[in-house]
Amino acid sequence: GAVVSQHPSWVICKSGTSVKIECRSLDFQATTMFWYRQFPKQSLMLMATSNEGSKATYEQGVEKDKFLINHASLTLSTLTVTSAHPEDSSFYICSARDGARAISRTYNEQFFGPGTRLTVL
Amino acid sequence: AQSVAQPEDQVNVAEGNPLTVKCTYSVSGNPYLFWYVQYPNRGLQFLLKYITGDNLVKGSYGFEAEFNKSQTSFHLKKPSALVSDSALYFCAVRDRGTGRRALTFGSGTRLQVQP
């Protein structure tokens, strides 16, 4: 249980195009999802926190108009990198928090997706 | 503000020997503490967590960690290392006293287990 999937696992795109990354909680309801990015040999940096049905909260320095986050349902959040440039190339990882059922064994835990490697040419 | 320090970029240990990966944290309140492992081009896999209760926490794959409040540390340990333990390890913290649910990660420590 408590599986988070991401799609695609990798993507290569041309500069100036937009890329959408999906994050799904497969067997639990994710009231909160988080988006991180990781540069080579570096740690995960939080980009934004999204709560189902409301606007995402972005970390300082993260452009909300460039990194569009939608969390329309309890099992799906999407990150769209708009007008991607080579400097946006990174490993993007989502995590989902099981916050729907307080009696659940996994309540309040975060589960991470496998990541999406974005390469912008 | 919450922060995590992993002072070692890399830890080398021989297979069969005990291993320790260090982590210290800083929070204004009480911490939730986590260890994750990452294999190349993969997401993070949960190893263990400290929420409350016993200071010694046992997790997956034979790993354990000890919460030390006075030293604000949460070092990861394993009695006998395996070559397959070679990976990147991240310590993470969340301050229980704030409404912030996101984790703050350390810089990561690469564990290399030699056969």
Side-chain angles (χ1 to χ4, degrees):
Chain A
V3 178
V4 175
S5 69
Q6 277 184 243
H7 178 80
S9 56
W10 59 270
V11 57
I12 301 173
C13 69
K14 292 182 179 180
S15 184
T17 60
S18 295
V19 174
K20 179 185 284 188
I21 302 170
E22 293 185 348
C23 177
R24 293 182 185 271
S25 58
L26 298 185
D27 49 4
F28 66 97
Q29 293 181 321
T31 52
T32 307
M33 287 185 170
F34 306 91
W35 287 95
Y36 297 84
R37 65 186 297 182
Q38 184 182 29
F39 291 105
K41 299 183 179 180
Q42 294 190 25
S43 187
L44 281 73
M45 301 300 295
L46 179 69
M47 298 175 66
T49 302
S50 73
N51 292 297
E52 185 265 338
S54 62
K55 290 183 178 180
T57 302
Y58 290 81
E59 294 298 294
Q60 193 171 12
V62 178
E63 299 175 59
K64 61 181 180 181
D65 294 330
K66 181 169 184 62
F67 298 99
L68 300 179
I69 292 173
N70 183 282
H71 191 168
S73 78
L74 284 172
T75 59
L76 174 65
S77 176
T78 60
L79 167 67
T80 301
V81 183
T82 62
S83 186
H85 287 94
E87 57 266 29
D88 299 324
S89 298
S90 188
F91 194 51
Y92 292 86
I93 302 175
C94 74
S95 72
R97 174 178 167 270
D98 180 358
R101 295 180 301 147
I103 60 172
S104 167
R105 184 179 61 85
T106 57
Y107 176 68
N108 214 22
E109 285 194 29
Q110 281 190 40
F111 301 93
F112 286 80
T116 297
R117 182 160 301 285
L118 170 64
T119 302
V120 185
L121 302 177
Chain B
Q2 54 195 41
S3 65
V4 178
Q6 291 181 245
E8 303 154 315
D9 290 337
Q10 181 156 326
V11 170
N12 297 307
V13 65
E15 188 175 29
N17 283 359
L19 69 88
T20 299
V21 183
K22 295 180 180 177
C23 170
T24 58
Y25 66 90
S26 175
V27 295
S28 56
N30 292 314
Y32 290 131
L33 291 157
F34 304 82
W35 275 102
Y36 291 88
V37 60
Q38 185 181 34
Y39 295 97
N41 294 313
R42 303 286 295 277
L44 272 67
Q45 295 181 31
F46 171 78
L47 280 180
L48 50 80
K49 66 180 177 182
Y50 171 81
I51 301 296
T52 187
D54 290 340
N55 290 340
L56 184 63
V57 178
K58 293 186 183 296
S60 307
Y61 313 118
F63 284 94
E64 59 187 30
E66 185 165 12
F67 170 61
N68 187 317
K69 188 172 183 178
S70 63
Q71 297 185 5
T72 62
S73 67
F74 191 57
H75 302 330
L76 180 71
K77 299 182 179 184
K78 187 173 181 180
S80 179
L82 300 173
V83 173
S84 57
D85 293 330
S86 299
L88 189 57
Y89 290 80
F90 289 100
C91 181
V93 69
R94 178 159 82 85
D95 190 335
R96 295 166 61 182
T98 71
R100 181 178 172 88
R101 295 195 172 102
L103 300 178
T104 297
F105 287 85
S107 54
T109 298
R110 185 165 300 281
L111 174 65
Q112 193 68 42
V113 181
Q114 283 110 13

